[in-house]
Amino acid sequence: MNPIPPGRVSKCPASNMKTVFKILGIVLVLLGGHLLLSSFMAGMLPMHALDGARLSLPSLDGTRIPPYRFPFRQAGLTDRQAAAHLLSRFTYGASPGQVDAVVTMGLENWWAQQLAADLPDDSLSQCLSQYDALQLTNQRVADLYPKPGQVARMAIRDGVIDKDSVKTDRKEYREFIRSYMQEKGLKPEQDLFRQFFCQKVLRAAYSHNQLQEVMTDFWFNHFNVSITKNDCAGFIPAYERDVIRPNALGRFGDLLVKTAKSPAMLYYLDNFSSSAPLPGGQEMGGDTTLMAKVQQARKNRGLNENYAREVMELHTLGVDGGYTQQDVTQAARVLTGWTVYPMNDAGKGLLTRFSEDQLASRGFVHEGDFLFNANRHDKGEKIVLGHTFPAGGGYDEGVTLLGMLAHHPSTARFIARKLAVRFVSDDPPQTLINKMTKTFLEKDGDIRQVLITMVSAPEFWSATAVREKTKSPFELAIGAVRSLHGVIEQPYPLYNWVSKMGEKKYYYQAPTGFPDKGSYWINTGSLLNRMNFGLALATGRIPGVRIDLVALNNGHEPEDAQAALVIFSKIMLPERNLDATIKRLTPMLNDPNLAQKVDAASVRTEDGGGMGAGRNGADGGQSGTAGIQPDNDMAMVAANDGRAAQLGQVVGIIIGSPEFQRR
Amino acid sequence: MVTRRGFLKGGGLALLGVGLMGGIPAFMAEAAASDKIFRPYKRKKVLVCIFQRGAMDGLMAVTPFTDTYLQSARPGLSLSAAKSGNGNPLIDLDGRWGLHPGMKAFEPLFRDGRLGIVHGIGSPNNTRSHFDAQDYMESGTPFNKGTASGWLNRAVGLLGHDAVTPFTAVSLTSALPRSFYGDHPSVAISNLQDFAIELKSNPAAANTAARSFEDLYDQTSSGLLQQTGKESFEAMKMLQAADVRHYRPANGAIYPTSPLGNSLRQIAQLIKMDVGLEVAFTESNGWDTHFNQGTDNGIFARNVTDLSNSIAAFWTDLDASQDDVTLMTMTEFGRTVHQNGTGGTDHGRGSCNFILGKDIAGGKVHGQVAALATENLEDGRDLPVTTDFRSVFSAVADGHLQIANDKVLFPDWVGAKAPVMKG
């Protein structure tokens, strides 16, 4: 089988979207109307889905959520301003025309649709289906993607290499290993990660269920796991796919239990290894081989408190949530035996000697990748946060413990605050946090209800909240692409740019996750990279991302730099007052000498007519998919290059500008 | 947290015109570089840390060559200090310890009393997971995963003054290392040359873009963006004025063309440019030698050669700045005393580290290493950790940077500093 080159997609939703956009553009001109297009662009969904019934959607316990209205007019915001604010917080950036579309359908309706998170995403799914690793189970991942050291051991065992010829720093050796892996149907782990990064970029850019993607990002970061930890790395794609995303708008307690039981978390915070210590002693008499075996076994056993501590400090109660070191140790004892079901035959060992029923009758629990190993569980009595777990509790006491934590008032406060920090401001008002905490406690940790409380509160719409958040590098990159209707043919270069700007997704080492505050993202190391990113994207210098600036302006090339600034600020930064910015920049950009210089320089560029700044970002020879073809008339291209280059430059400046860093 | 930066408030490089990006005319760069740069701060001490990721085999780097237990535990991985046979012998440091022959560049530094070695250094947490051990060493809290900050970031917070320039704490890595996580200003820069506004093959447009950005950031109502923007452009101009692209090391120093060599060359540039660097970090990879680690030749030999040649070149290049600089290596743990079945060694406990500087008690192998008989080993297999890494890190940080707050630097640690500093 020929593996799909990672990072390469031949057809993406954006290409389709672009075609549709163009057709609609014509329709728009014919009808002289704006509404059809904008509604369509809002969510790419049929109009019938927009009926008012959506206002009240079923809550998790089956009752209807009462209708609500967003109090933005009281805060002095117009409908368009409010829509822009809403989109800036709960999507990866508004696409052109989306503000109007949301106003047309009603902010509350749009919001209800996003909470339901069931808009069809067919073109995205189709695009993602070209990545062959995205749907693999953890077991398949373990089978297909061995760790580097594992391969060498296999090759030695198979007798294809001599153990003395392992030279990991030699090119020939690496070549050999590569072909050996291919023969065995094995793949390098990096291929898996690359596909996973690409899906992240594509979903963020093109999913119509934007809120779900944003919340997936939020919860992943909250329950952070990291590729930097080898043991858990391969299980991270399934973690996001099966544990985080489906529950991102569900109940907090479900997220907590499911993360606790997932291989990624069990390995990342070491609970897989945590067990009751073997009873010490001299009971083995004089049998030295048995003694040695027991010693070895004892070495492999023992309590590991890492997960128990972080589940309280970082996942639920918060560091000041009112627990003690004693609680941590006791909670760790409760969770002993929570581990990963072995994925290779050697590891299964004893387990295979018993049927599932026999295991169950001995107190074992086997659910997918999760194993409660009753033999490793500490069967004694424990007391956590004042609650007594009588001796002999088994698996259920862990579930009870996590339930207690999920419903604790400290947890409600901690999660409410963290959500408010993400969606309102780096320093959200306590009044808002209190309202959200109350909902969290009353509604059994129903995340959608907590979000509704947040958006229905005046604090969400206040002047201290609007534009107050700083885009993370990922939000900046995806937002820029969305604001230009960019076509992502290869997501990986974008992922790399995001890393370069300081957000290497899935690699944050500490269980805290990335800090969610502007001062973390904005520093001297990253700010110039943001500006360079803007210039690179807008001038078509990011391989695999195509943008068409002229098409965005209905096929018209702006007459001069000032016109370009005005037009593209409106498209890319809807409802922001940029008069002062435009006024300041105009003389600089309109410097006639400068235009000449830019013109001269751009004609000189080594890739000449292929550049067509802002016209075609695909790297050499890799385009050829649906979309705008570069102009073939070389003379015309050369003549237009100066202006095209300047247009790209203007748009790049908008992306790199301080205003665009805010959301 | 935005820290006020005196350098910028003082106007810094105001003399330097804006927009010298991309292709700066050489005469302008020279003119700019010759301008006396106003520095409202006193030149500071610099601590440079190198993390050797993968766990260096301390027993092969610095070998107790008289230990017969070691020789029998490693029949295929032993080096001798005697000049016999084909291979290069160990460099006999003191009759007991032998430096790997790949590190001959270290010998003069050791004999000079500038280079100190600590053997049996490691973490009190006996995890043999690379990730966990690195994480604990970098956070400085060996039993707490959730510590948000890294120890070097806390060190920056304890310098006793605001960050003077954007270059107070710099990591020459592509991403911010765990050691630098935290609230105090620190940056990761993979290449100093990237510190510019770039529009490939169009310097004139890059110039306009840079001027536009500088103007916009100057005018923005966001304090954070305005301040950081200002710093970024000042930093860019500092680097461009120094013309980092055409750097020539002093004293004929030749850096290996390895990632570590490149990083250290750039750290030396920053130090000599006098732009306020106080804490620098970089890393060296490839120490996880499970397979055929080799003896005087092979993977390990290449690694130590690169390490020592890079560090020696850095030291030579520093020239007069040597007085202000201390360099320290670290690795997450050591490797098994016994060789394994594939010509390598597996994850162990204690390793060794190197500390270089004028104020180091050098020329000496510090720490306690007993005879490597099985009963003296941790879990019957590993060099025991006899020196807590925190006792060395705090001694160096306190001694060199005058940080005297171990409660903040290494919370949970109570212990005595290792005697690795002079005086």
Side-chain angles (χ1 to χ4, degrees):
Chain A
M1 194 194 76
N2 223 352
I4 297 168
R8 212 35 227 296
V9 194
S10 59
K11 207 172 175 198
C12 265
S15 332
N16 307 340
M17 201 151 122
K18 176 148 304 227
T19 318
V20 173
F21 184 68
K22 281 177 68 188
I23 296 165
L24 273 172
I26 298 162
V27 174
L28 176 86
V29 172
L30 290 176
L31 294 179
H34 202 64
L35 296 183
L36 174 61
L37 173 67
S38 42
S39 316
F40 194 85
M41 294 314 298
M44 302 287 288
L45 84 166
M47 295 293 283
H48 64 77
L50 307 181
D51 60 78
R54 282 291 196 144
L55 253 181
S56 130
L57 75 165
S59 73
L60 291 176
D61 59 9
T63 59
R64 311 290 297 180
I65 296 174
Y68 44 83
R69 288 278 165 208
F70 298 153
F72 56 85
R73 291 200 188 85
Q74 294 88 314
L77 298 181
T78 66
D79 287 25
R80 294 193 88 249
Q81 286 168 335
H85 180 52
L86 197 63
L87 286 165
S88 80
R89 295 304 158 95
F90 299 111
T91 70
Y92 279 106
S95 50
Q98 203 176 8
V99 167
D100 287 321
V102 169
V103 168
T104 304
M105 74 189 280
L107 275 63
E108 289 85 355
N109 281 329
W110 179 83
W111 173 248
Q113 217 174 55
Q114 290 297 312
L115 284 179
D118 56 2
L119 292 175
D121 258 332
D122 297 342
S123 47
L124 173 65
S125 309
Q126 195 194 334
C127 168
L128 293 176
S129 72
Q130 304 195 33
Y131 294 96
D132 59 355
L134 296 181
Q135 293 305 322
L136 296 178
T137 61
N138 281 327
Q139 176 71 58
R140 286 293 289 155
V141 167
D143 294 343
L144 280 176
Y145 298 92
K147 312 279 177 205
Q150 253 173 295
V151 181
R153 284 192 187 89
M154 285 171 65
I156 292 168
R157 203 187 50 215
D158 289 357
V160 297
I161 50 170
D162 185 75
K163 66 186 170 63
D164 296 325
S165 64
V166 175
K167 299 265 192 285
T168 48
D169 61 343
R170 287 287 191 236
K171 202 174 161 210
E172 312 85 71
Y173 170 78
R174 290 199 301 264
E175 284 298 330
F176 180 82
I177 285 291
R178 195 169 303 145
S179 65
Y180 170 74
M181 287 177 72
Q182 228 156 32
E183 235 167 76
K184 303 285 275 184
L186 303 174
K187 299 168 180 185
E189 223 177 10
Q190 204 51 41
D191 288 359
L192 170 71
F193 300 147
R194 206 182 242 249
Q195 295 196 22
F196 181 53
F197 304 154
C198 290
Q199 67 92 37
K200 171 84 182 172
V201 168
L202 291 172
R203 282 179 189 279
Y206 299 128
S207 174
H208 297 135
N209 297 297
Q210 283 280 299
L211 177 62
Q212 187 180 40
E213 285 312 304
V214 169
M215 289 304 291
T216 298
D217 193 81
F218 174 83
W219 290 120
F220 188 101
N221 199 53
H222 180 74
F223 294 105
N224 190 45
V225 293
S226 173
I227 285 181
T228 57
K229 181 149 177 168
N230 227 333
D231 297 334
C232 75
F235 306 126
I236 292 177
Y239 177 72
E240 184 184 87
R241 179 191 69 210
D242 301 337
V243 176
I244 303 291
R245 183 171 291 106
N247 297 291
L249 289 161
R251 226 187 283 276
F252 178 76
D254 292 342
L255 266 173
L256 184 62
V257 173
K258 286 176 179 168
T259 52
K261 291 162 84 168
S262 73
M265 185 61 79
L266 284 163
Y267 281 121
Y268 179 60
L269 287 175
D270 308 320
N271 205 75
F272 79 99
S273 72
S274 185
S275 66
L278 277 188
Q282 316 79 0
E283 69 274 20
M284 294 307 154
D287 186 340
T288 50
T289 49
L290 194 56
M291 273 296 278
K293 272 188 179 165
V294 169
Q295 255 175 13
Q296 184 57 34
R298 189 168 288 136
K299 216 173 74 62
N300 293 334
R301 303 199 49 157
L303 197 64
N304 188 307
E305 294 180 355
N306 281 335
Y307 177 72
R309 176 176 295 106
E310 304 317 341
V311 76
M312 293 195 210
E313 179 178 329
L314 300 174
H315 298 170
T316 60
L317 307 175
V319 68
D320 302 316
Y323 62 91
T324 64
Q325 174 55 39
Q326 190 62 19
D327 289 320
V328 169
T329 306
Q330 298 278 309
R333 291 180 57 215
V334 167
L335 292 166
T336 46
W338 283 50
T339 189
V340 179
Y341 193 83
M343 295 196 193
N344 58 53
D345 293 338
K348 287 187 175 94
L350 278 176
L351 290 172
T352 54
R353 285 205 227 146
F354 300 97
S355 71
E356 290 278 327
D357 287 347
Q358 284 172 317
L359 286 174
S361 72
R362 284 170 166 77
F364 282 64
V365 177
H366 176 199
E367 283 173 19
D369 301 324
F370 172 75
L371 175 69
F372 174 73
N373 185 334
N375 291 348
R376 295 171 69 90
H377 183 64
D378 182 334
K379 297 180 177 60
E381 184 191 84
K382 305 108 185 166
I383 301 171
V384 188
L385 299 169
H387 178 95
T388 302
F389 295 88
Y395 166 74
D396 290 339
E397 60 185 35
V399 178
T400 305
L401 170 69
L402 293 174
M404 276 168 54
L405 293 175
H407 293 88
H408 198 282
S410 296
T411 302
R413 270 192 296 277
F414 186 61
I415 300 298
R417 178 162 205 286
K418 199 160 179 176
L419 284 166
V421 166
R422 174 71 160 230
F423 295 112
V424 182
S425 79
D426 287 3
D427 188 17
Q430 191 59 43
T431 50
L432 175 65
I433 295 168
N434 293 345
K435 291 174 202 172
M436 294 166 68
T437 304
K438 188 162 170 278
T439 302
F440 187 101
L441 290 171
E442 286 173 1
K443 303 290 182 187
D444 190 20
D446 182 337
I447 295 157
R448 292 189 301 174
Q449 298 262 16
V450 178
L451 291 176
I452 289 170
T453 298
M454 179 174 75
V455 186
S456 304
E459 290 92 333
F460 178 83
W461 304 96
S462 84
T464 54
V466 175
R467 296 194 310 147
E468 263 315 291
K469 286 294 290 183
T470 308
K471 287 175 189 164
S472 77
F474 188 74
E475 289 164 343
L476 170 70
I478 304 296
V481 171
R482 284 174 61 84
S483 77
L484 295 171
H485 272 320
V487 179
I488 303 172
E489 285 165 345
Q490 297 175 78
Y492 196 60
L494 269 181
Y495 173 86
N496 279 337
W497 262 105
V498 172
S499 302
K500 198 174 167 189
M501 292 188 282
E503 188 178 10
K504 194 169 182 185
K505 279 282 182 200
Y506 305 115
Y507 281 83
Y508 196 83
Q509 193 169 320
T512 52
F514 287 104
D516 186 6
K517 52 185 173 186
S519 58
Y520 177 75
W521 298 123
I522 301 296
N523 61 58
T524 38
S526 67
L527 200 53
L528 293 176
N529 283 331
R530 285 178 179 240
M531 300 175 207
N532 283 326
F533 166 76
L535 292 171
L537 179 71
T539 57
R541 295 277 177 178
I542 297 184
V545 185
R546 287 191 297 125
I547 54 167
D548 188 336
L549 299 177
V550 176
L552 268 180
N553 190 33
N554 298 323
H556 298 302
E557 202 166 287
E559 287 186 2
D560 54 21
Q562 184 179 8
L565 258 180
V566 172
I567 292 164
F568 281 91
S569 299
K570 274 218 176 86
I571 294 174
M572 300 168 67
L573 286 162
E575 298 307 305
R576 303 271 180 99
N577 182 356
L578 297 162
D579 296 350
T581 300
I582 291 165
K583 215 169 169 178
R584 283 196 74 83
L585 282 185
T586 301
M588 227 179 284
L589 291 168
N590 270 349
D591 171 1
N593 297 330
L594 187 84
Q596 238 167 36
K597 275 184 257 167
V598 171
D599 196 17
S602 68
V603 171
R604 269 203 316 275
T605 53
E606 72 272 33
D607 45 357
M611 177 188 171
R615 284 221 141 207
N616 188 356
D619 54 346
Q622 299 228 347
S623 64
T625 52
I628 309 299
Q629 293 303 316
D631 212 319
N632 284 329
D633 187 340
M634 295 300 290
M636 207 172 107
V637 169
N640 286 335
D641 246 5
R643 270 204 304 194
Q646 211 180 26
L647 179 55
Q649 186 192 11
V650 166
V651 171
I653 290 170
I654 294 173
I655 297 170
S657 72
E659 198 57 36
F660 202 79
Q661 312 313 306
R662 308 169 77 168
R663 64 176 177 94
Chain B
M1 190 184 73
V2 187
T3 309
R4 188 183 58 79
R5 291 179 177 154
F7 178 79
L8 301 169
K9 290 237 156 145
L13 292 166
L15 279 176
L16 233 89
V18 287
L20 299 176
M21 304 78 213
I24 341 169
F27 73 92
M28 282 184 78
E30 275 165 35
S34 67
D35 271 333
K36 193 93 189 130
I37 293 172
F38 167 62
R39 291 193 183 86
Y41 59 93
K42 215 174 125 242
R43 183 164 186 157
K44 295 288 196 287
K45 298 282 185 187
V46 187
L47 174 62
V48 180
C49 291
I50 300 174
F51 207 112
Q52 296 171 263
R53 302 207 186 270
M56 177 184 68
D57 183 9
L59 289 171
M60 183 173 267
V62 180
T63 305
F65 59 84
T66 55
D67 192 310
T68 52
Y69 297 104
L70 181 65
Q71 287 154 22
S72 54
R74 297 184 163 198
L77 293 182
S78 282
L79 282 123
S80 147
K83 283 192 178 68
S84 62
N86 316 327
N88 291 312
L90 293 164
I91 299 159
D92 184 348
L93 294 178
D94 56 6
R96 181 184 179 202
W97 295 103
L99 197 60
H100 189 281
M103 291 196 283
K104 56 178 186 286
F106 272 173
E107 188 184 359
L109 297 169
F110 184 87
R111 306 268 183 233
D112 249 16
R114 297 273 169 121
L115 180 72
I117 296 166
V118 183
H119 225 305
I121 186 174
S123 168
N125 188 315
N126 68 359
T127 178
R128 288 167 176 86
S129 144
H130 294 296
F131 174 85
D132 292 342
Q134 289 180 23
D135 197 61
Y136 288 142
M137 192 168 272
E138 296 198 71
S139 71
T141 56
F143 294 96
N144 195 346
K145 285 260 167 107
T147 308
S149 58
W151 79 278
L152 284 174
N153 192 277
R154 294 196 295 277
V156 171
L158 294 170
L159 289 169
H161 57 85
D162 284 340
V164 177
T165 77
F167 297 112
T168 298
V170 177
S171 176
L172 264 294
T173 49
S174 61
L176 208 62
R178 180 76 168 93
S179 304
F180 271 28
Y181 283 14
D183 282 337
H184 301 290
S186 53
V187 294
I189 305 174
S190 46
N191 190 338
L192 292 183
Q193 289 181 25
D194 293 346
F195 228 83
I197 292 296
E198 281 178 338
L199 204 54
K200 288 232 167 53
S201 58
N202 199 340
N207 201 326
T208 324
R211 281 203 302 171
S212 307
F213 282 134
E214 188 169 20
D215 201 52
L216 286 176
Y217 277 84
D218 190 46
Q219 297 300 315
T220 180
S221 62
S222 154
L224 172 68
L225 290 166
Q226 198 224 15
Q227 176 77 11
T228 312
K230 195 170 163 137
E231 288 164 14
S232 299
F233 284 101
E234 294 289 352
M236 183 170 85
K237 286 173 214 160
M238 283 187 210
L239 293 184
Q240 302 219 334
D243 196 11
V244 289
R245 221 170 279 256
H246 302 106
Y247 178 70
R248 226 173 291 133
N251 297 327
I254 298 170
Y255 287 91
T257 54
S258 63
L260 179 64
N262 287 331
S263 296
L264 287 175
R265 194 189 67 239
Q266 299 187 66
I267 292 171
Q269 283 180 265
L270 287 173
I271 291 170
K272 292 201 276 183
M273 282 162 60
D274 215 357
V275 289
L277 182 70
E278 292 178 73
V279 176
F281 182 92
T282 189
E283 49 197 29
S284 155
N285 288 295
W287 298 95
D288 195 17
T289 48
H290 290 282
F291 294 97
N292 301 327
Q293 84 184 48
T295 50
D296 61 324
N297 262 308
I299 298 171
F300 187 85
R302 281 193 286 280
N303 283 346
V304 287
T305 304
D306 178 52
L307 180 78
S308 56
N309 286 350
S310 298
I311 291 172
F314 172 74
W315 199 249
T316 306
D317 184 14
L318 280 185
D319 202 15
S321 305
Q322 287 175 359
D323 291 352
D324 297 320
V325 178
T326 289
L327 178 146
M328 174 166 71
T329 67
M330 59 200 67
T331 193
E332 64 264 35
F333 42 68
R335 309 193 71 84
T336 47
V337 172
H338 286 73
Q339 70 185 63
N340 63 16
T342 56
T345 46
D346 296 323
H347 300 179
R349 291 285 288 121
S351 188
C352 69
N353 82 329
F354 303 96
I355 317 169
L356 176 61
K358 203 184 148 197
D359 39 11
I360 298 304
K364 190 180 167 198
V365 180
H366 298 264
Q368 281 99 49
V369 176
L372 298 170
T374 308
E375 62 269 24
N376 288 340
L377 303 183
E378 191 165 330
D379 297 322
R381 44 171 262 168
D382 297 329
L383 177 66
V385 171
T386 46
T387 300
D388 188 319
F389 71 89
R390 293 170 296 183
S391 71
V392 175
F393 292 9
S394 74
V396 171
D398 294 3
H400 187 67
L401 298 176
Q402 272 70 54
I403 288 171
N405 190 340
D406 289 330
K407 278 206 175 62
V408 172
L409 197 59
F410 294 113
D412 318 330
W413 177 62
V414 272
K417 293 191 205 319
V420 294
M421 303 300 286
K422 273 184 190 155

